[in-house]
Amino acid sequence: MDLQVLRAARRRSLAPRHALLAVPLAMIALVTTGDLLVPPDVHLGPFLAAAPAVTASFAGPRTTGSIGAVAVLAQVVVAMVRGSVTDLNHTFQIITLLLISVFVTLFAHLREVHEKQLVQLRSVAEAAQQVVLRPLRERLGPLRVASVYLAAAADARIGGDLYAAARTSHGSRLIIGDVRGKGLEAVGDAALVLGAFRAAAHQEADLPSLVDYLERAVAPDLDQAHQSQQSFQAHQAHQAAEPPRHGSPIGSGRARHPGLGPEDAPEGDPGFDDHSEAFITAALVEIPDLGHSVHLVNCGHPPPLLLRHEGVVTLEVDQPAPPLGLAGLAESQLATQSFPFEPGDILLLYTDGVLEARDEAGDFYPLAERAAAWNGTGPHALLSYLREDLLAHTPTGTLGDDAAMVAIERLAEPAPRDASTP
């Protein structure tokens, strides 16, 4: 994060804090006035300790110490007006107030140090996000692109979902994926896949070759692969035995789709071992600059949606591939399948975190239905609509799993210029 942005944000946060100083100052004035007006045997001095304590909750050590000094000075004034500063009662009140002021000032200092550390950590997280999950370019040749990422963890900027795009000599290639697991391990696996994709997207001749390269980059060793295979097969058996649930999302990795959602590890599922090797579901698309088609290889990922004037089409491939990291454990032949992609069409890529968002009744988010109800134009408007609708679908406005969406629109080809036009 830019230092000027951080400083500007800090200045904006300091403005309301300065306004809050009126609270402890008013407390000191009220307690001091009351202490002077009440009978001599009533002492309100101990209430002055609340002023520096309240200040420490929102201000720094200097301000807290200053308010503490004002409170101690007010107690001294009360003692002088009522009799003598050396009076035993007033002496203990002054010493106690002084110690409390020192203590809360130290607390304010520690809180300020902690806040600075948090700011530094957030700036590092911002930098890591820019490196790992780079923003997609808005234009890729004849395509207009938009993306959105919603992390499930509070204050998180990146998780196990991933997407990237690359330009080649003949078109554009994109990947969207989902790493099984959460936390730093999922981020590391996502970074591995993204790095491999960016390195090979320009070099491999076709999508099957690119998928094979990614598989070699993320494939575990033999022992870990055996654990992954057992986890994968046991989970599929467990899900096949489960009765269908109302609103089961299409392509979520359950019985309705041969792929596997990496985050689909329901409580009580004996097929998933938390210590087994991670794998990644992914969908890779290639969109040539010439022609009106999109080529797709699906590695166990929820199928993309194609928004056309006639409605929404689910791009189900005939031969889905296993998730990345598991391809070597099962006999499968990578095959590219092509679909029409006309000017004005919008291709929507997404992760299972979108499909598995639940409402208060426990129903999944009907992505295809909500996308079909959209009547706007452009990928940015589509993702803005889906993002707001998705968060409104959940009871708390937060997701239980990371979610990512990428929308790609093929723009209309420019009309050929008349040779007779000067």
Side-chain angles (χ1 to χ4, degrees), residues 47 76 278 305 333 354:
F47 290 103
V76 171
L305 299 179
Q333 186 172 1
V354 177

Side-chain angles (χ1 to χ4, degrees), residues 379-396:
H380 290 279
L382 172 62
L383 293 191
S384 177
Y385 160 78
L386 290 176
R387 181 183 184 276
E388 294 179 3
D389 190 61
L390 176 64
L391 295 177
H393 179 79
T394 61
T396 61

Side-chain angles (χ1 to χ4, degrees), residues 320-350:
L324 299 175
L326 298 177
L329 305 176
E331 293 185 2
S332 62
Q333 186 172 1
L334 294 174
T336 302
Q337 190 162 339
S338 299
F339 300 89
F341 189 36
E342 303 290 339
D345 292 349
I346 297 181
L347 181 66
L348 179 62
L349 310 176
Y350 55 93

Side-chain angles (χ1 to χ4, degrees), residues 124-136 149 157-165 175 179 184-198:
V124 171
E126 292 277 356
Q129 181 191 26
Q130 295 296 323
V131 172
V132 177
L133 198 63
R134 302 172 189 171
L136 300 182
Y149 191 101
R157 299 299 182 114
I158 185 173
D161 290 7
L162 59 98
Y163 53 76
I175 183 175
V179 179
L184 292 178
E185 291 185 2
V187 175
D189 291 335
L192 177 62
V193 176
L194 290 172
F197 174 82
R198 290 164 182 153

